[in-house]
Amino acid sequence: MPLNRRKFLKKSAVTGAGVALTGAVAAPSAQAATSAAAGGGKKPVKRHSLTVMGTTDLHGHVFNWDYFKDAEYKDTAGNAQGLARISTLVNEIRKEKGRCNTLLLDAGDTIQGTPLTYYYAKVDPITAKGGPVHPMAQAMNAIGYDAVALGNHEFNYGIETLRKFESQCRFPLLGANALDAKTLKPAFPPYFMKTFHVPGAPSVKVAVLGLTNPGIAIWDKAYVQGKLTFPGLEEQAAKWVPKLRSMGADVVVVSAHSGSSGTSSYGDQLPYVENSAALVAQQVPGIDAILVGHAHVEIPELKVTNAKTGGTVVLSEPLAYAERLSVFDFELVLEKGKWQVESVKASVRNSNSVADDPKITRLLKDEHDLVVAYVNQVVGTATDTLTTVEARYKDAPIIDLITKVQEDVVKAALVGTEYASLPVIAQASPFSRTSEIPAGKVTIRDLSSLYVYDNTLVAKVLTGAQVRAYLEYSANYFVRTAAGAVIDTEKLTNANNRPDYNYDYVSGLRYDIDIAQAEGSRIKNLTYNGAALDDAQQFVFAVNNYRANGGGAFPHVASAKEVWSESTEIRTRIAEWVTAKGVLDPKEFASVDWKLTRDGTPVF
């Protein structure tokens, strides 16, 4: 079955949407509250309340639907997902507070993450002549977002796709630290400002500064190198916040696609902190609140003291995938003719407490149904059930499928080149703990659940010594466990909070990981072709673009010589491989390349 997906179904006709590039929207407001000060005879104090709502890391989740399971989304915590739920929460708050007293923001990572967003980036792309309007633009326009900060995943499909999405949004995409590489001027609007009218008092001006992640320079190097540059959040906030105050901003809110931990996944490859939202709050005076993104953690309210003023900055990060909505409630007081922020309180509201907004359901039903049909296409037959359930700590055939496809693609690409004679090895990670390819019919949905990211393939040249160091670094994923200690598989992995996607298998070699040993001394019995690995041996390393560009801070790979790359997603290559074979048989790709040991004794 050919994978000509654009012709899979007749393209639906979708109307266009305009773009809003400027802020300063005035709206009538409720009467500001007045109260007599203590002591009776003093002049009443004028007060006003404002509410700022925020989402982040939506990753293409419009509905409470799991495209990989072809069913309603469910998890053990009872969470619900999707902008349709967020729309209901937003409507409730607008009714409660008065729409004219509210602002709705997002902190980035909007257009990548589900088959829905993949479909409209690659299968029926929004960049095509007469192409559709992106579902996320349609939904967010309908809900009435005021401004959205750029996330790093906004750049995954290239600048052309991002610019087209931007043109379809009726709100600005903000990025004060996304600069033109040549002029060093902002390539996107740095800020958005909205004016709230208060009867009988001066208007309230709220400025929203958008900041994105410096890691884009690494993770999407192929798209942004030489075109865009991404300085640190602290630096750019220090530049822009005083400007916003000088422009009359009474309230300054930052929407930052950056976590609060102060850590970076890319080591010292960049001089800028990846998760710097709390550092911005601590170092830059003049900020009242920060909507935090990127880290996919839930922070209802975090108070940070600014080192220069002693003032409190309130941070909040709602859970990703539209599972939560952050709510900042501002109380302002008029002092000497100017509004001052008296207090800020943050909280989160849970999407599982409401039903889908039928307006959003109706709006995007056709697009949703189209993608459901697309991912349920049958592309082959599996002889055995393959699963990732134990893939974190056992060499699982389902991960070997990924490395086999990557090896085959790179070998074919290098035919006739000077690198054709070098052995090809490949890297892959256990992204999901629940992915399964069932015996019997295999669909695009099954294969997509195995490789949930839109990564593409890169070929680099590494030496044996570099591969050994790479494996040692990867082995740090395991918790050091003494020989004889009871094994609890739930506590065996994710040492130092390392996520599953930053643990790598490497195919084509044989090795043991001795988890009784200290970090840096765990790789044992490392062989190639039955002999001890030669440190001088050269290999072509088939690696995803995230890792090739330094994601996860694995040693040597980012600086290694690149001999080939492509823009086709690894997920698509897997589907093509299975389609060409017709039958998915582990005998063609499964191999036991590694095992866990303790003092030389196998763990399993």
Side-chain angles (χ1 to χ4, degrees):
M1 179 182 294
L3 290 180
N4 188 346
R5 297 166 302 281
R6 182 172 173 80
K7 297 180 180 179
F8 157 60
L9 287 178
K10 185 178 180 181
K11 187 172 66 179
S12 59
V14 187
T15 57
V19 62
L21 292 178
T22 57
V25 179
S29 176
Q31 177 68 40
T34 59
S35 62
K42 294 184 180 179
K43 188 176 181 180
V45 176
K46 179 85 70 176
R47 286 188 165 82
H48 188 65
S49 300
L50 290 175
T51 296
V52 176
M53 298 172 284
T55 54
T56 191
D57 297 279
L58 297 172
H59 286 287
H61 288 78
V62 173
F63 297 122
N64 190 48
W65 187 261
D66 188 333
Y67 290 95
F68 301 132
K69 290 185 169 61
D70 197 26
E72 285 269 332
Y73 174 79
K74 291 181 180 179
D75 67 12
T76 56
N79 289 311
Q81 300 180 340
L83 275 173
R85 299 287 182 106
I86 291 294
S87 184
T88 302
L89 288 174
V90 167
N91 289 338
E92 287 182 352
I93 293 170
R94 284 172 174 164
K95 183 177 180 181
E96 174 188 341
K97 308 288 186 179
R99 178 158 188 164
C100 56
N101 299 316
T102 65
L103 197 63
L104 179 59
L105 310 175
D106 183 83
D109 276 6
T110 302
I111 60 171
Q112 178 277 338
T114 62
L116 180 72
T117 49
Y118 175 80
Y119 189 91
Y120 288 97
K122 293 291 188 178
V123 182
D124 188 9
I126 61 173
T127 52
K129 185 177 181 180
V133 176
H134 200 288
M136 294 301 286
Q138 292 189 60
M140 296 174 85
N141 286 340
I143 295 169
Y145 274 80
D146 291 287
V148 171
L150 292 165
N152 53 286
H153 283 287
E154 260 63 85
F155 295 84
N156 285 173
Y157 298 119
I159 295 174
E160 181 187 8
T161 297
L162 175 54
R163 289 300 190 187
K164 184 63 176 181
F165 173 71
E166 181 185 34
S167 75
Q168 295 177 341
C169 295
R170 294 199 291 267
F171 48 83
L173 301 183
L174 307 179
N177 62 325
L179 310 181
D180 182 282
K182 294 180 180 178
T183 66
L184 297 183
K185 293 181 179 180
F188 294 84
Y191 65 89
F192 166 84
M193 194 170 285
K194 185 168 183 175
T195 300
F196 294 86
H197 289 303
V198 181
S203 297
V204 176
K205 290 186 177 180
V206 179
V208 180
L209 181 68
L211 297 169
T212 192
N213 206 286
I216 296 166
I218 294 175
W219 304 320
D220 277 302
K221 179 180 177 181
Y223 291 124
V224 302
Q225 188 173 36
K227 298 176 182 177
L228 297 171
T229 187
F230 302 89
L233 285 82
E234 305 97 310
E235 167 195 326
Q236 292 301 302
K239 173 183 177 180
W240 283 99
V241 171
K243 290 184 179 181
L244 297 175
R245 290 293 184 181
S246 69
M247 293 165 62
D250 301 297
V251 179
V252 173
V253 178
V254 173
S255 183
H257 193 75
S258 181
S260 63
S261 66
T263 62
S264 299
S265 69
Y266 40 70
D268 59 1
Q269 292 181 78
L270 291 175
Y272 313 115
V273 178
E274 176 183 355
N275 295 299
S276 65
L279 294 175
V280 171
Q282 183 184 57
Q283 296 176 16
V284 181
I287 298 170
D288 297 300
I290 300 180
L291 175 65
V292 179
H294 184 62
H296 290 217
V297 297
E298 182 177 351
I299 304 175
E301 183 181 70
L302 174 65
K303 294 181 178 180
V304 176
T305 300
N306 185 269
K308 296 182 180 178
T309 67
T312 298
V313 185
V314 177
L315 282 63
S316 181
E317 180 176 2
L319 208 55
Y321 312 137
E323 292 184 4
R324 303 287 188 276
L325 176 72
S326 282
V327 180
F328 297 88
D329 287 310
F330 291 80
E331 294 297 330
L332 286 77
V333 61
L334 191 63
E335 295 181 354
K336 298 180 180 179
K338 185 170 176 59
W339 289 105
Q340 303 290 338
V341 174
E342 187 175 53
S343 67
V344 185
K345 294 181 180 179
S347 60
V348 293
R349 298 203 184 185
N350 198 325
S351 293
N352 70 7
S353 65
V354 295
D356 287 351
D357 182 348
K359 181 177 76 170
I360 305 302
T361 302
R362 288 192 300 268
L363 179 67
L364 289 167
K365 182 181 185 302
D366 290 346
E367 287 84 347
H368 170 72
D369 290 346
L370 190 68
V371 174
V372 168
Y374 164 70
V375 299
N376 280 289
Q377 288 182 94
V378 175
V379 294
T381 304
T383 61
D384 301 85
T385 295
L386 303 170
T387 177
T388 59
V389 170
E390 297 181 326
R392 305 184 322 280
Y393 47 85
K394 291 183 181 179
D395 189 340
I398 197 169
I399 307 300
D400 295 334
L401 171 61
I402 301 173
T403 58
K404 173 61 174 172
V405 170
Q406 293 180 171
E407 287 176 14
D408 285 359
V409 170
V410 169
K411 286 176 183 176
L414 296 180
V415 169
T417 73
E418 61 182 297
Y419 305 100
S421 62
L422 292 181
V424 176
I425 60 177
Q427 156 273 343
S429 304
F431 293 139
S432 167
R433 298 187 179 192
T434 59
S435 179
E436 179 179 287
I437 299 175
K441 294 179 180 179
V442 178
T443 65
I444 289 177
R445 170 169 58 84
D446 298 323
L447 300 176
S448 296
S449 74
L450 172 60
Y451 211 107
V452 297
Y453 298 106
D454 295 329
N455 294 339
T456 57
L457 196 53
V458 180
K460 297 252 186 171
V461 175
L462 295 182
T463 66
Q466 290 173 329
V467 171
R468 186 189 306 274
Y470 190 100
L471 289 170
E472 284 286 6
Y473 180 83
S474 186
N476 295 345
Y477 167 76
F478 295 99
V479 175
R480 189 175 186 179
T481 309
V486 175
I487 292 292
D488 181 350
T489 56
E490 293 304 308
K491 298 179 180 178
L492 191 61
T493 61
N494 306 101
N496 304 311
N497 295 315
R498 182 185 289 197
D500 297 343
Y501 62 76
N502 276 340
Y503 169 63
D504 283 0
Y505 288 38
V506 175
S507 67
L509 306 167
R510 298 290 185 272
Y511 56 97
D512 297 339
I513 302 173
D514 195 326
I515 59 174
Q517 307 305 315
E519 292 183 1
S521 303
R522 292 179 171 178
I523 301 301
K524 309 294 183 183
N525 305 318
L526 178 56
T527 64
Y528 170 68
N529 268 353
L533 181 69
D534 179 356
D535 283 352
Q537 168 77 58
Q538 285 195 316
F539 295 90
V540 173
F541 192 31
V543 59
N544 69 52
N545 65 304
Y546 172 75
R547 194 71 81 236
N549 290 333
F554 279 64
H556 305 300
V557 66
S559 59
K561 181 178 179 61
E562 182 177 310
V563 297
W564 177 84
S565 65
E566 68 169 350
S567 59
T568 300
E569 294 79 10
I570 293 170
R571 177 171 55 221
T572 299
R573 289 301 193 192
I574 295 170
E576 290 174 345
W577 193 91
V578 174
T579 301
K581 295 286 184 181
V583 176
L584 188 60
D585 188 343
K587 294 177 182 177
E588 294 194 46
F589 54 83
S591 62
V592 179
D593 298 318
W594 62 273
K595 64 179 181 293
L596 295 185
T597 65
R598 290 186 293 180
D599 290 344
T601 302
V603 174
F604 302 105

